Amino acid sequence: MKWLFISIFIIYAYGTPGEYISHIPSSVAPTIEGCILGIIQIVKLIIALATLSILFATSSKEQLMIGLHLMLLPLNLLGLNTNKFTARLLLTLGYVEELAANLKFKFRFDQLDNMLSTTELINHSRVVTLHNLAFKWTDIGVLILLFTSTAALFYFKVPF
């Protein structure tokens, strides 16, 4: 991640127009606005990664799939079968975990053509069931808080 952060900072620092940093020769100087925007983008990515890390640490794979399924339900109106999509994604994650746990399987890019024969050894008689969980009072409270804060942002025209 550090190389991604460094490259984002460099791209913003040297690609954003603005006032050059005065202590550096202007031919190689980044802009102050670019440095600020680069730091803001890096902080946003760190917050997103921390949130995902907390989510993965506190939720099981099945709970994540149920949440994804619930979020994708409106796409049923457009013709996407969210049940099949979620089941396939859950099975794919299961196969990846089984391949990673297999001590004989050492992934190399020159073995991509042998992956199919390796996956044939995995048990394919798996049944996927997703149980819809009822909302708790805390879930409803968080949803109401998110809705009211979003409505307040739009009402008071707070810039993002």
Side-chain angles (χ1 to χ4, degrees):
M1 292 305 298
K2 71 177 177 180
W3 292 111
L4 175 67
F5 294 153
I6 290 170
S7 63
I8 287 173
F9 181 77
I10 289 173
I11 289 169
Y12 273 94
Y14 288 99
T16 304
E19 183 181 341
Y20 293 117
I21 296 177
S22 61
H23 301 295
I24 301 173
S26 63
S27 60
V28 294
T31 61
I32 295 171
E33 292 82 1
C35 292
I36 292 171
L37 287 175
I39 290 171
I40 288 172
Q41 290 300 321
I42 290 170
V43 169
K44 287 179 182 179
L45 281 173
I46 289 172
I47 290 170
L49 289 172
T51 305
L52 281 174
S53 177
I54 291 170
L55 181 68
F56 288 143
T58 58
S59 302
S60 68
K61 184 174 52 174
E62 288 78 16
Q63 289 173 332
L64 291 173
M65 289 301 115
I66 290 170
L68 179 66
H69 181 260
L70 288 174
M71 286 176 44
L72 293 177
L73 276 178
L75 294 178
N76 281 337
L77 300 173
L78 299 175
L80 179 69
N81 190 345
T82 58
N83 293 332
K84 282 185 180 180
F85 175 78
T86 308
R88 286 180 181 167
L89 185 61
L90 184 61
L91 288 172
T92 302
L93 290 175
Y95 292 148
V96 168
E97 283 181 359
E98 286 183 27
L99 284 174
N102 188 356
L103 297 177
K104 296 178 186 175
F105 184 76
K106 302 289 183 196
F107 179 76
R108 293 191 323 248
F109 284 106
D110 59 345
Q111 292 181 335
L112 286 176
D113 54 347
N114 297 333
M115 271 188 146
L116 182 61
S117 63
T118 307
T119 57
E120 290 173 355
L121 301 175
I122 297 174
N123 183 10
H124 292 284
S125 61
R126 212 184 274 184
V127 176
V128 174
T129 56
L130 296 175
H131 303 285
N132 286 337
L133 301 174
F135 281 124
K136 298 177 186 173
W137 287 107
T138 56
D139 299 331
I140 295 171
V142 167
L143 287 174
I144 291 171
L145 179 68
L146 287 173
F147 177 74
T148 55
S149 61
T150 305
L153 287 174
F154 284 116
Y155 179 74
F156 295 114
K157 296 181 178 110
V158 176
F160 291 101

